Amino acid sequence: MTKDSQLFEHIANKRESCPECGEALVFRNGKAGPFLGCSAYPKCDYTKALHPEHDPDLDRLIPDSQCPECSKPLAVKHGRFGIFIGCSGFPDCHFIEKKDGQEDNDTQIDCPKCQKGHLLKKQNRFGKTFYPCSAYPKCDYAVNLPPVKQSCEACGWPVMLQKHLRGKDVLVCPQKKCGHKVSLS
């Protein structure tokens, strides 16, 4: 019997009730994994984490720390990518402290759509790299290939994308209507 199945069996045998409304707690699945939720949902939205590492109440403030953006205290937080240090003022402030040795993800290439932000190198939750505008959500421009600061000869778009195509490195215009390619070799 696995650790999770033992935990599920223990909770099922215990028949816990909701501390807010008294209804029975039932197993539910979410994007962070299984949890216990009130059976009276949506009238009662009580939830309880099955594993302590998924419990948002475990976020702990760091004494004598200060967010450089909003001056609120920093906290050790638990997210879908693991433990990190972020501002306790979330969702008003989105500051996250970089890990030691973490590279600066700003490509220093101006966003060709809004001309206000820069293209940043980011990873989605599946580990794929993409390059969105730093002015998101005001600007929703993003590309999936590494951008290069070079204008397209055909349409004049200020950014080209570096792509490996048929054994050669090429620059490709990201504009669907253009599709201009330039060989790098």
Side-chain angles (χ1 to χ4, degrees):
M1 191 177 266
T2 66
K3 185 179 175 183
D4 283 343
S5 60
Q6 288 175 346
L7 178 65
F8 291 152
E9 186 177 316
H10 170 74
I11 293 170
N13 291 336
K14 198 172 174 186
R15 303 281 185 223
E16 289 187 56
S17 60
C18 176
E20 292 182 6
C21 71
E23 293 289 328
L25 293 179
V26 294
F27 288 105
R28 305 228 186 234
N29 275 315
K31 62 182 173 184
F35 64 95
L36 286 175
C38 183
S39 61
Y41 180 81
K43 286 190 270 182
C44 177
D45 62 354
Y46 175 80
T47 61
K48 179 180 178 182
L50 290 176
H51 298 289
E53 64 265 14
H54 294 296
D55 192 353
D57 294 334
L58 289 180
D59 294 348
R60 300 285 181 233
L61 294 178
I62 301 172
D64 302 324
S65 65
Q66 190 175 16
C67 174
E69 294 179 7
C70 72
S71 301
K72 290 187 178 177
L74 295 175
V76 176
K77 297 179 164 249
H78 303 265
R80 63 182 179 196
F81 295 116
I83 298 173
F84 65 97
I85 296 174
C87 182
S88 61
F90 181 82
D92 297 326
C93 178
H94 293 275
F95 175 78
I96 296 175
E97 187 144 321
K98 293 181 181 179
K99 296 177 186 173
D100 290 338
Q102 186 178 21
E103 63 186 54
D104 187 20
N105 294 330
D106 192 348
T107 62
Q108 296 299 318
I109 297 174
D110 292 334
C111 175
K113 185 175 179 183
C114 71
Q115 285 94 29
K116 293 179 183 172
H118 291 113
L119 297 180
L120 304 175
K121 181 181 180 182
K122 291 193 171 193
Q123 278 190 338
N124 66 15
R125 63 183 176 168
F126 304 112
K128 292 209 47 136
T129 303
F130 68 107
Y131 301 85
C133 178
S134 62
Y136 180 83
K138 292 179 183 176
C139 178
D140 62 355
Y141 185 79
V143 291
N144 292 326
L145 297 171
V148 176
K149 191 172 187 172
Q150 179 177 326
S151 294
C152 175
E153 297 168 355
C155 70
W157 191 254
V159 173
M160 299 282 281
L161 305 179
Q162 187 173 352
K163 186 173 186 177
H164 192 74
L165 193 64
R166 295 185 191 108
K168 296 180 181 179
D169 287 329
V170 295
L171 294 180
V172 179
C173 181
Q175 297 294 91
K176 289 181 182 177
K177 293 180 181 177
C178 179
H180 181 70
K181 295 177 186 152
V182 177
S183 180
L184 291 176
S185 49

